[in-house]
């Protein structure tokens, strides 16, 4: 009886875990892109797209981020139409996020084929905090939970996936977004093999935060080797450079990331400015101190609502938004290190583009 009393809860836990995994393995596809009774007419939207193209026409790289979870049934059914919408805004580079290894699928192949037909370069994007191993559950549950793919393993899968594509459909590069500052003791998804945890109290050479940065650099060097000649872009928050400049971490400057694979590495700075003046200031140090020309791309994250007060650019209306974009492009282009801008995500851009 004692054995059964202990076995039954374990079996139930195992079944619950398997059901949870099955639910997490599927991705909900949205049926509509814009849900509003107040939608601008087609002529207004045409003029707005033209205004955006005018605001960004001077950019050598005018990029946009696509997230599968924000794409729709229509996007899947007609990827050529999606590419045409992207081109309509003047975008000349796409950053397609891969939050799950299962996203290396036919859906992605169809999009890459459409982008290839339009000669639109595509980077695939993976995040450090999405690909790592953790150890959960008891001795009965753990063997039934598939091991998660690590960041270098995912990079290798992407390289193999890319090699199997027709030459016209292959990706232009891989972007790896790193976030060691998110591996805190409070983060249940922190890789369990790590001896270190990020904390406001552990700054300084050789302390936890510094060791997490070095761990991240080791991963990036391994990925650079796996990619061969494929270009690597490293996505970083807009405060690592400042921390390194202050001596709080020993690596983290833009130049440190560029040195991972000299000549084929660029940095994507994730701008956290909530308004245009903050966005300029957020990346000013990085752009001014980086000597390598056209090596720094600035990601402009869009707020999905005007009530957002941190971490993303907010706007009053379309006119306010395009004015800010043109102003930011003009300010950043003054720096030789500036290579271009990425709007993230495309879904929020279309949201404000379609608002009445």
């Amino acid at each position: 009886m004692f054995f059964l009393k202990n076995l039954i809860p374990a079996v139930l836990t195992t079944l619950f875990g398997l059901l949870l995994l099955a639910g997490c393995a599927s991705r909900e596809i949205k049926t509509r892109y814009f849900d509003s009774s107040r939608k601008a007419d087609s002529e207004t939207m045409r003029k707005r797209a033209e205004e955006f193209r005018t605001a960004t026409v001077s950019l050598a790289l005018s990029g946009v981020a696509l997230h599968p979870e924000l794409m729709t049934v229509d996007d899947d059914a007609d990827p050529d139409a999606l590419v045409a919408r992207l081109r309509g805004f003047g975008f000349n580079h796409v950053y397609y996020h891969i939050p799950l290894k299962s996203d290396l699928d036919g859906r992605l192949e169809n999009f890459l084929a459409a982008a290839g037909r339009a000669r639109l370069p595509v980077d695939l994007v993976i995040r450090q905090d999405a690909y790592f191993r953790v150890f959960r559950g008891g001795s009965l549950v753990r063997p039934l939970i598939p091991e998660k793919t690590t960041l270098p393993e995912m990079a290798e899968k992407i390289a193999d996936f890319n090699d199997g594509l027709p030459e016209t459909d292959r990706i232009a590069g891989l972007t790896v977004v790193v976030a060691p500052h998110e591996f805190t003791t409070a983060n249940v998804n922190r890789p369990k093999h790590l001896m270190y945890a990020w904390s406001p109290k552990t700054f300084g050479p050789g302390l936890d935060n510094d060791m997490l940065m070095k761990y991240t650099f080791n991963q990036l060097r391994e990925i650079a080797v796996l990619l061969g000649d494929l270009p690597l872009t490293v996505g970083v928050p807009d405060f690592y450079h400042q921390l390194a400049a202050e001596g709080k971490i020993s690596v983290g400057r833009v130049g440190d990331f560029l040195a991972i694979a000299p000549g084929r590495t660029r940095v994507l700075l994730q701008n956290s400015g909530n308004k245009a003046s903050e966005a300029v200031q957020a990346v000013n140090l990085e752009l001014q101190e980086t000597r390598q020309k056209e090596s720094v791309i600035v990601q402009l994250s869009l707020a999905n609502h005007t009530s957002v007060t941190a971490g993303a650019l907010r706007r009053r209306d379309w006119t306010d938004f395009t004015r800010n974009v043109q102003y930011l492009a003009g300010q950043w282009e003054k720096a030789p290190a500036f290579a271009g801008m990425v709007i993230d995500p495309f879904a929020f851009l279309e949201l404000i583009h379609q608002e009445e």
Side-chain angles (χ1 to χ4, degrees), residues 118-344:
R119 297 186 179 181
L120 180 60
V122 179
D123 261 43
L124 296 187
V125 184
I126 55 176
R127 291 186 56 90
Q128 181 186 26
D129 56 0
Y131 294 100
F132 53 85
R133 289 205 175 98
V134 295
F135 305 100
R136 294 197 182 97
S139 58
L140 284 174
V141 177
R142 193 177 298 165
L144 301 173
I145 300 177
E147 283 192 339
K148 293 189 70 173
T149 304
T150 65
L151 194 66
E153 287 172 348
M154 189 59 191
E156 188 171 21
K157 288 179 183 294
I158 288 174
D160 292 340
F161 170 82
N162 192 51
D163 289 342
L165 294 174
E167 191 170 346
T168 55
D169 301 353
R170 291 179 182 173
I171 63 175
L174 177 66
T175 296
V176 180
V177 179
V178 298
H181 66 281
E182 295 187 1
F183 293 141
T184 65
T185 54
N187 186 352
V188 295
N189 288 324
R190 183 169 66 92
K192 295 299 184 285
H193 70 277
L194 286 180
M195 298 173 59
Y196 313 101
W198 192 280
S199 167
K201 299 179 180 179
T202 54
F203 279 113
L207 298 183
D208 279 34
N209 300 353
D210 190 45
M211 297 306 291
L212 281 171
M213 291 298 296
K214 291 178 178 179
Y215 161 79
T216 297
F217 269 78
N218 287 338
Q219 284 193 316
L220 291 171
R221 291 188 190 99
E222 183 178 353
I223 289 170
V225 172
L226 291 170
L227 294 181
D229 295 331
L230 198 65
L232 171 67
T233 299
V234 184
V236 299
D238 58 17
F239 58 86
Y240 286 173
H241 186 97
Q242 179 72 38
L243 292 175
E246 294 173 356
K248 293 182 177 180
I249 51 179
S250 59
V251 289
R253 294 176 184 266
V254 169
D256 297 331
F257 290 104
L258 294 176
I260 289 171
R264 60 182 181 90
T265 303
R266 292 203 285 191
V267 167
L268 177 66
L269 279 178
Q270 299 164 324
N271 195 308
S272 61
N274 191 229
K275 49 189 177 182
S277 58
E278 294 176 358
V280 170
Q281 185 61 34
V283 297
N284 182 62
L285 184 67
E286 289 87 344
L287 290 174
Q288 295 304 317
E289 292 192 352
T290 302
R291 296 289 173 258
Q292 185 173 322
K293 291 183 178 181
E294 298 181 357
S295 59
V296 179
I297 306 164
V298 179
Q299 174 183 302
L300 195 61
S301 299
L302 303 185
N304 65 341
H305 196 275
T306 55
S307 63
V308 175
T309 58
L313 183 72
R314 60 177 176 173
R315 81 289 164 193
R316 289 188 295 273
D317 52 27
W318 177 262
T319 301
D320 184 47
F321 168 69
T322 51
R323 182 172 56 244
N324 285 337
V325 168
Q326 191 163 23
Y327 167 74
L328 292 170
Q331 291 296 306
W332 292 332
E333 283 180 317
K334 296 175 183 178
F338 180 68
M341 180 193 300
V342 174
I343 300 295
D344 186 9

